[in-house]
Amino acid sequence: MVSPVWSMMRFLIKGSVAGGVVYLVYDQELLGSSNKSQAALQRAEEVVPPAMYQFSQYVCEQTGLKIPQLPAPPKFNFHIRESWNSGIMTVMSALSVAPSKACEYTKEGWEYLKERIK
């Protein structure tokens, strides 16, 4: 059985990580305009790989383990703005036709049941 102290520590650690993520998203204005989100993504692509390499080197030095060098990540020509806008438009389009489609499917269902009952 897990001790209550360990459960509380896990809760606090998870809460701290979640709070840090929320703060980071707010601080970097990731939920703002897509230009700011694109810029933050480009900054992350520049900063994260060297940081991961430095961390892996530190772990290797401290533990004596040898971590093989990973291949470079592929470069994507991916524009968040177009993907986000097309996703939002698809969702909004589906939501706008949902009531009429529900009515249509209900009528079809009633007709099917009437035919089966006869």
Side-chain angles (χ1 to χ4, degrees), residues 80-114:
I80 292 176
R81 179 182 295 180
E82 285 88 23
S83 298
W84 175 261
N85 289 343
S86 67
I88 293 296
M89 292 180 76
T90 302
V91 168
M92 290 302 147
S93 172
L95 289 174
S96 68
V97 298
S100 60
K101 285 292 185 182
C103 183
E104 179 183 326
Y105 293 149
T106 303
K107 286 179 185 177
E108 289 177 10
W110 279 112
E111 292 300 322
Y112 176 77
L113 285 175
K114 287 179 185 176

mmCIF file of all heavy atoms in Angstrom, residues 80-114:
data_model
loop_
_atom_site.group_PDB
_atom_site.id
_atom_site.type_symbol
_atom_site.label_atom_id
_atom_site.label_comp_id
_atom_site.label_asym_id
_atom_site.label_seq_id
_atom_site.Cartn_x
_atom_site.Cartn_y
_atom_site.Cartn_z
ATOM 1 N N ILE A 80 1.543 26.450 -38.486
ATOM 2 C CA ILE A 80 0.488 26.257 -37.499
ATOM 3 C C ILE A 80 -0.779 27.009 -37.893
ATOM 4 O O ILE A 80 -1.884 26.510 -37.724
ATOM 5 C CB ILE A 80 0.978 26.707 -36.108
ATOM 6 C CG1 ILE A 80 2.067 25.758 -35.635
ATOM 7 C CG2 ILE A 80 -0.158 26.765 -35.111
ATOM 8 C CD1 ILE A 80 2.682 26.152 -34.329
ATOM 9 N N ARG A 81 -0.620 28.197 -38.426
ATOM 10 C CA ARG A 81 -1.775 29.040 -38.734
ATOM 11 C C ARG A 81 -2.743 28.328 -39.686
ATOM 12 O O ARG A 81 -3.935 28.273 -39.441
ATOM 13 C CB ARG A 81 -1.336 30.362 -39.343
ATOM 14 C CG ARG A 81 -2.515 31.256 -39.703
ATOM 15 C CD ARG A 81 -2.089 32.536 -40.337
ATOM 16 N NE ARG A 81 -1.341 33.316 -39.370
ATOM 17 C CZ ARG A 81 -0.828 34.491 -39.610
ATOM 18 N NH1 ARG A 81 -0.951 35.018 -40.796
ATOM 19 N NH2 ARG A 81 -0.187 35.135 -38.677
ATOM 20 N N GLU A 82 -2.230 27.757 -40.779
ATOM 21 C CA GLU A 82 -3.118 27.100 -41.731
ATOM 22 C C GLU A 82 -3.783 25.859 -41.111
ATOM 23 O O GLU A 82 -4.959 25.614 -41.302
ATOM 24 C CB GLU A 82 -2.364 26.699 -42.997
ATOM 25 C CG GLU A 82 -2.046 27.856 -43.901
ATOM 26 C CD GLU A 82 -0.720 28.517 -43.565
ATOM 27 O OE1 GLU A 82 0.146 27.857 -42.944
ATOM 28 O OE2 GLU A 82 -0.568 29.692 -43.901
ATOM 29 N N SER A 83 -3.011 25.095 -40.353
ATOM 30 C CA SER A 83 -3.568 23.890 -39.741
ATOM 31 C C SER A 83 -4.610 24.244 -38.689
ATOM 32 O O SER A 83 -5.664 23.617 -38.618
ATOM 33 C CB SER A 83 -2.464 23.065 -39.096
ATOM 34 O OG SER A 83 -1.547 22.661 -40.062
ATOM 35 N N TRP A 84 -4.297 25.230 -37.866
ATOM 36 C CA TRP A 84 -5.229 25.637 -36.822
ATOM 37 C C TRP A 84 -6.517 26.145 -37.444
ATOM 38 O O TRP A 84 -7.611 25.757 -37.065
ATOM 39 C CB TRP A 84 -4.591 26.697 -35.940
ATOM 40 C CG TRP A 84 -5.515 27.264 -34.917
ATOM 41 C CD1 TRP A 84 -6.195 28.434 -34.995
ATOM 42 C CD2 TRP A 84 -5.897 26.671 -33.671
ATOM 43 N NE1 TRP A 84 -6.957 28.627 -33.877
ATOM 44 C CE2 TRP A 84 -6.793 27.552 -33.051
ATOM 45 C CE3 TRP A 84 -5.560 25.489 -33.039
ATOM 46 C CZ2 TRP A 84 -7.354 27.279 -31.819
ATOM 47 C CZ3 TRP A 84 -6.123 25.235 -31.811
ATOM 48 C CH2 TRP A 84 -7.004 26.118 -31.215
ATOM 49 N N ASN A 85 -6.399 27.035 -38.427
ATOM 50 C CA ASN A 85 -7.586 27.614 -39.049
ATOM 51 C C ASN A 85 -8.415 26.548 -39.751
ATOM 52 O O ASN A 85 -9.638 26.558 -39.656
ATOM 53 C CB ASN A 85 -7.199 28.726 -40.026
ATOM 54 C CG ASN A 85 -6.704 29.959 -39.312
ATOM 55 O OD1 ASN A 85 -6.927 30.120 -38.124
ATOM 56 N ND2 ASN A 85 -6.011 30.811 -40.037
ATOM 57 N N SER A 86 -7.774 25.613 -40.456
ATOM 58 C CA SER A 86 -8.553 24.581 -41.140
ATOM 59 C C SER A 86 -9.229 23.670 -40.121
ATOM 60 O O SER A 86 -10.365 23.237 -40.331
ATOM 61 C CB SER A 86 -7.664 23.772 -42.085
ATOM 62 O OG SER A 86 -6.722 23.014 -41.359
ATOM 63 N N GLY A 87 -8.562 23.382 -39.005
ATOM 64 C CA GLY A 87 -9.174 22.550 -37.963
ATOM 65 C C GLY A 87 -10.368 23.235 -37.336
ATOM 66 O O GLY A 87 -11.425 22.626 -37.135
ATOM 67 N N ILE A 88 -10.224 24.520 -37.039
ATOM 68 C CA ILE A 88 -11.330 25.278 -36.449
ATOM 69 C C ILE A 88 -12.493 25.355 -37.432
ATOM 70 O O ILE A 88 -13.657 25.181 -37.055
ATOM 71 C CB ILE A 88 -10.864 26.691 -36.045
ATOM 72 C CG1 ILE A 88 -9.873 26.612 -34.894
ATOM 73 C CG2 ILE A 88 -12.031 27.586 -35.692
ATOM 74 C CD1 ILE A 88 -10.451 26.062 -33.620
ATOM 75 N N MET A 89 -12.184 25.599 -38.705
ATOM 76 C CA MET A 89 -13.254 25.696 -39.703
ATOM 77 C C MET A 89 -13.984 24.362 -39.857
ATOM 78 O O MET A 89 -15.209 24.325 -39.989
ATOM 79 C CB MET A 89 -12.697 26.184 -41.029
ATOM 80 C CG MET A 89 -12.220 27.625 -40.951
ATOM 81 S SD MET A 89 -11.568 28.254 -42.475
ATOM 82 C CE MET A 89 -13.079 28.518 -43.371
ATOM 83 N N THR A 90 -13.250 23.258 -39.810
ATOM 84 C CA THR A 90 -13.880 21.939 -39.915
ATOM 85 C C THR A 90 -14.791 21.677 -38.720
ATOM 86 O O THR A 90 -15.920 21.218 -38.881
ATOM 87 C CB THR A 90 -12.794 20.843 -39.998
ATOM 88 O OG1 THR A 90 -11.960 21.105 -41.119
ATOM 89 C CG2 THR A 90 -13.415 19.471 -40.119
ATOM 90 N N VAL A 91 -14.315 21.986 -37.532
ATOM 91 C CA VAL A 91 -15.114 21.770 -36.319
ATOM 92 C C VAL A 91 -16.364 22.650 -36.347
ATOM 93 O O VAL A 91 -17.468 22.190 -36.062
ATOM 94 C CB VAL A 91 -14.272 22.026 -35.053
ATOM 95 C CG1 VAL A 91 -15.138 22.102 -33.817
ATOM 96 C CG2 VAL A 91 -13.217 20.946 -34.905
ATOM 97 N N MET A 92 -16.196 23.917 -36.675
ATOM 98 C CA MET A 92 -17.345 24.827 -36.708
ATOM 99 C C MET A 92 -18.346 24.422 -37.782
ATOM 100 O O MET A 92 -19.555 24.533 -37.593
ATOM 101 C CB MET A 92 -16.881 26.271 -36.934
ATOM 102 C CG MET A 92 -16.147 26.848 -35.759
ATOM 103 S SD MET A 92 -17.180 26.804 -34.282
ATOM 104 C CE MET A 92 -15.971 26.562 -33.043
ATOM 105 N N SER A 93 -17.838 23.947 -38.902
ATOM 106 C CA SER A 93 -18.732 23.473 -39.965
ATOM 107 C C SER A 93 -19.540 22.266 -39.480
ATOM 108 O O SER A 93 -20.757 22.187 -39.702
ATOM 109 C CB SER A 93 -17.914 23.099 -41.194
ATOM 110 O OG SER A 93 -18.716 22.470 -42.151
ATOM 111 N N ALA A 94 -18.867 21.343 -38.814
ATOM 112 C CA ALA A 94 -19.572 20.161 -38.297
ATOM 113 C C ALA A 94 -20.600 20.562 -37.246
ATOM 114 O O ALA A 94 -21.715 20.025 -37.214
ATOM 115 C CB ALA A 94 -18.568 19.174 -37.710
ATOM 116 N N LEU A 95 -20.244 21.521 -36.375
ATOM 117 C CA LEU A 95 -21.193 21.961 -35.351
ATOM 118 C C LEU A 95 -22.378 22.702 -35.958
ATOM 119 O O LEU A 95 -23.499 22.606 -35.448
ATOM 120 C CB LEU A 95 -20.490 22.852 -34.327
ATOM 121 C CG LEU A 95 -19.518 22.147 -33.387
ATOM 122 C CD1 LEU A 95 -18.799 23.162 -32.525
ATOM 123 C CD2 LEU A 95 -20.223 21.117 -32.538
ATOM 124 N N SER A 96 -22.158 23.420 -37.045
ATOM 125 C CA SER A 96 -23.258 24.185 -37.635
ATOM 126 C C SER A 96 -24.272 23.279 -38.327
ATOM 127 O O SER A 96 -25.450 23.614 -38.382
ATOM 128 C CB SER A 96 -22.723 25.224 -38.617
ATOM 129 O OG SER A 96 -22.163 24.590 -39.746
ATOM 130 N N VAL A 97 -23.841 22.143 -38.865
ATOM 131 C CA VAL A 97 -24.788 21.244 -39.534
ATOM 132 C C VAL A 97 -25.297 20.145 -38.603
ATOM 133 O O VAL A 97 -26.154 19.364 -39.000
ATOM 134 C CB VAL A 97 -24.172 20.613 -40.804
ATOM 135 C CG1 VAL A 97 -23.815 21.669 -41.816
ATOM 136 C CG2 VAL A 97 -22.997 19.720 -40.477
ATOM 137 N N ALA A 98 -24.785 20.083 -37.378
ATOM 138 C CA ALA A 98 -25.173 19.014 -36.459
ATOM 139 C C ALA A 98 -26.671 18.979 -36.179
ATOM 140 O O ALA A 98 -27.271 17.899 -36.231
ATOM 141 C CB ALA A 98 -24.382 19.115 -35.157
ATOM 142 N N PRO A 99 -27.345 20.109 -35.897
ATOM 143 C CA PRO A 99 -28.781 20.023 -35.622
ATOM 144 C C PRO A 99 -29.592 19.504 -36.810
ATOM 145 O O PRO A 99 -30.476 18.657 -36.651
ATOM 146 C CB PRO A 99 -29.175 21.465 -35.285
ATOM 147 C CG PRO A 99 -27.915 22.105 -34.828
ATOM 148 C CD PRO A 99 -26.836 21.457 -35.623
ATOM 149 N N SER A 100 -29.290 19.980 -38.003
ATOM 150 C CA SER A 100 -30.059 19.519 -39.171
ATOM 151 C C SER A 100 -29.759 18.054 -39.465
ATOM 152 O O SER A 100 -30.655 17.301 -39.840
ATOM 153 C CB SER A 100 -29.756 20.390 -40.392
ATOM 154 O OG SER A 100 -28.394 20.327 -40.719
ATOM 155 N N LYS A 101 -28.508 17.641 -39.301
ATOM 156 C CA LYS A 101 -28.167 16.234 -39.514
ATOM 157 C C LYS A 101 -28.839 15.347 -38.467
ATOM 158 O O LYS A 101 -29.313 14.258 -38.782
ATOM 159 C CB LYS A 101 -26.648 16.027 -39.463
ATOM 160 C CG LYS A 101 -25.934 16.509 -40.683
ATOM 161 C CD LYS A 101 -26.273 15.655 -41.868
ATOM 162 C CE LYS A 101 -25.463 16.066 -43.074
ATOM 163 N NZ LYS A 101 -25.804 15.292 -44.254
ATOM 164 N N ALA A 102 -28.889 15.815 -37.226
ATOM 165 C CA ALA A 102 -29.554 15.032 -36.176
ATOM 166 C C ALA A 102 -31.033 14.867 -36.507
ATOM 167 O O ALA A 102 -31.592 13.772 -36.348
ATOM 168 C CB ALA A 102 -29.380 15.707 -34.827
ATOM 169 N N CYS A 103 -31.656 15.930 -36.979
ATOM 170 C CA CYS A 103 -33.073 15.860 -37.362
ATOM 171 C C CYS A 103 -33.255 14.890 -38.529
ATOM 172 O O CYS A 103 -34.178 14.067 -38.530
ATOM 173 C CB CYS A 103 -33.569 17.254 -37.725
ATOM 174 S SG CYS A 103 -35.319 17.324 -38.123
ATOM 175 N N GLU A 104 -32.375 14.987 -39.516
ATOM 176 C CA GLU A 104 -32.446 14.111 -40.689
ATOM 177 C C GLU A 104 -32.277 12.643 -40.281
ATOM 178 O O GLU A 104 -33.037 11.773 -40.718
ATOM 179 C CB GLU A 104 -31.346 14.519 -41.668
ATOM 180 C CG GLU A 104 -31.282 13.693 -42.921
ATOM 181 C CD GLU A 104 -30.113 14.128 -43.803
ATOM 182 O OE1 GLU A 104 -29.784 15.327 -43.825
ATOM 183 O OE2 GLU A 104 -29.545 13.233 -44.455
ATOM 184 N N TYR A 105 -31.292 12.363 -39.443
ATOM 185 C CA TYR A 105 -31.046 10.992 -39.004
ATOM 186 C C TYR A 105 -32.194 10.473 -38.138
ATOM 187 O O TYR A 105 -32.535 9.280 -38.188
ATOM 188 C CB TYR A 105 -29.731 10.885 -38.247
ATOM 189 C CG TYR A 105 -28.515 11.139 -39.103
ATOM 190 C CD1 TYR A 105 -27.376 11.694 -38.560
ATOM 191 C CD2 TYR A 105 -28.501 10.825 -40.454
ATOM 192 C CE1 TYR A 105 -26.255 11.931 -39.337
ATOM 193 C CE2 TYR A 105 -27.394 11.059 -41.241
ATOM 194 C CZ TYR A 105 -26.265 11.619 -40.673
ATOM 195 O OH TYR A 105 -25.157 11.845 -41.440
ATOM 196 N N THR A 106 -32.808 11.347 -37.359
ATOM 197 C CA THR A 106 -33.953 10.943 -36.554
ATOM 198 C C THR A 106 -35.116 10.543 -37.443
ATOM 199 O O THR A 106 -35.774 9.515 -37.211
ATOM 200 C CB THR A 106 -34.374 12.090 -35.613
ATOM 201 O OG1 THR A 106 -33.258 12.442 -34.803
ATOM 202 C CG2 THR A 106 -35.525 11.677 -34.720
ATOM 203 N N LYS A 107 -35.395 11.340 -38.465
ATOM 204 C CA LYS A 107 -36.473 11.006 -39.401
ATOM 205 C C LYS A 107 -36.199 9.683 -40.096
ATOM 206 O O LYS A 107 -37.098 8.847 -40.237
ATOM 207 C CB LYS A 107 -36.631 12.122 -40.443
ATOM 208 C CG LYS A 107 -37.274 13.360 -39.896
ATOM 209 C CD LYS A 107 -37.390 14.428 -40.971
ATOM 210 C CE LYS A 107 -37.924 15.722 -40.392
ATOM 211 N NZ LYS A 107 -37.970 16.793 -41.398
ATOM 212 N N GLU A 108 -34.951 9.496 -40.537
ATOM 213 C CA GLU A 108 -34.598 8.234 -41.192
ATOM 214 C C GLU A 108 -34.771 7.054 -40.231
ATOM 215 O O GLU A 108 -35.249 5.986 -40.620
ATOM 216 C CB GLU A 108 -33.157 8.280 -41.691
ATOM 217 C CG GLU A 108 -32.944 9.180 -42.872
ATOM 218 C CD GLU A 108 -31.485 9.249 -43.293
ATOM 219 O OE1 GLU A 108 -30.657 8.454 -42.786
ATOM 220 O OE2 GLU A 108 -31.167 10.109 -44.125
ATOM 221 N N GLY A 109 -34.390 7.259 -38.963
ATOM 222 C CA GLY A 109 -34.545 6.197 -37.972
ATOM 223 C C GLY A 109 -35.999 5.844 -37.728
ATOM 224 O O GLY A 109 -36.364 4.671 -37.637
ATOM 225 N N TRP A 110 -36.880 6.873 -37.626
ATOM 226 C CA TRP A 110 -38.299 6.620 -37.434
ATOM 227 C C TRP A 110 -38.896 5.900 -38.636
ATOM 228 O O TRP A 110 -39.705 4.988 -38.484
ATOM 229 C CB TRP A 110 -39.059 7.921 -37.169
ATOM 230 C CG TRP A 110 -38.957 8.366 -35.756
ATOM 231 C CD1 TRP A 110 -38.315 9.464 -35.295
ATOM 232 C CD2 TRP A 110 -39.512 7.714 -34.612
ATOM 233 N NE1 TRP A 110 -38.420 9.542 -33.936
ATOM 234 C CE2 TRP A 110 -39.160 8.466 -33.480
ATOM 235 C CE3 TRP A 110 -40.253 6.550 -34.421
ATOM 236 C CZ2 TRP A 110 -39.520 8.117 -32.192
ATOM 237 C CZ3 TRP A 110 -40.615 6.195 -33.140
ATOM 238 C CH2 TRP A 110 -40.249 6.973 -32.042
ATOM 239 N N GLU A 111 -38.506 6.306 -39.831
ATOM 240 C CA GLU A 111 -39.000 5.633 -41.037
ATOM 241 C C GLU A 111 -38.561 4.169 -41.054
ATOM 242 O O GLU A 111 -39.349 3.284 -41.403
ATOM 243 C CB GLU A 111 -38.501 6.357 -42.295
ATOM 244 C CG GLU A 111 -39.090 7.731 -42.486
ATOM 245 C CD GLU A 111 -40.607 7.706 -42.618
ATOM 246 O OE1 GLU A 111 -41.154 6.780 -43.237
ATOM 247 O OE2 GLU A 111 -41.240 8.623 -42.070
ATOM 248 N N TYR A 112 -37.336 3.920 -40.683
ATOM 249 C CA TYR A 112 -36.822 2.556 -40.647
ATOM 250 C C TYR A 112 -37.614 1.719 -39.629
ATOM 251 O O TYR A 112 -38.003 0.582 -39.911
ATOM 252 C CB TYR A 112 -35.332 2.568 -40.284
ATOM 253 C CG TYR A 112 -34.739 1.207 -40.118
ATOM 254 C CD1 TYR A 112 -34.416 0.428 -41.223
ATOM 255 C CD2 TYR A 112 -34.508 0.670 -38.843
ATOM 256 C CE1 TYR A 112 -33.875 -0.842 -41.071
ATOM 257 C CE2 TYR A 112 -33.966 -0.590 -38.681
ATOM 258 C CZ TYR A 112 -33.640 -1.324 -39.802
ATOM 259 O OH TYR A 112 -33.122 -2.584 -39.639
ATOM 260 N N LEU A 113 -37.873 2.300 -38.438
ATOM 261 C CA LEU A 113 -38.625 1.574 -37.425
ATOM 262 C C LEU A 113 -40.060 1.311 -37.874
ATOM 263 O O LEU A 113 -40.605 0.231 -37.631
ATOM 264 C CB LEU A 113 -38.615 2.348 -36.116
ATOM 265 C CG LEU A 113 -37.313 2.324 -35.322
ATOM 266 C CD1 LEU A 113 -37.416 3.241 -34.113
ATOM 267 C CD2 LEU A 113 -36.985 0.911 -34.883
ATOM 268 N N LYS A 114 -40.689 2.281 -38.533
ATOM 269 C CA LYS A 114 -42.062 2.100 -39.031
ATOM 270 C C LYS A 114 -42.126 0.966 -40.040
ATOM 271 O O LYS A 114 -43.061 0.159 -40.038
ATOM 272 C CB LYS A 114 -42.573 3.398 -39.650
ATOM 273 C CG LYS A 114 -42.902 4.466 -38.630
ATOM 274 C CD LYS A 114 -43.367 5.728 -39.322
ATOM 275 C CE LYS A 114 -43.584 6.863 -38.353
ATOM 276 N NZ LYS A 114 -43.949 8.125 -39.023
#
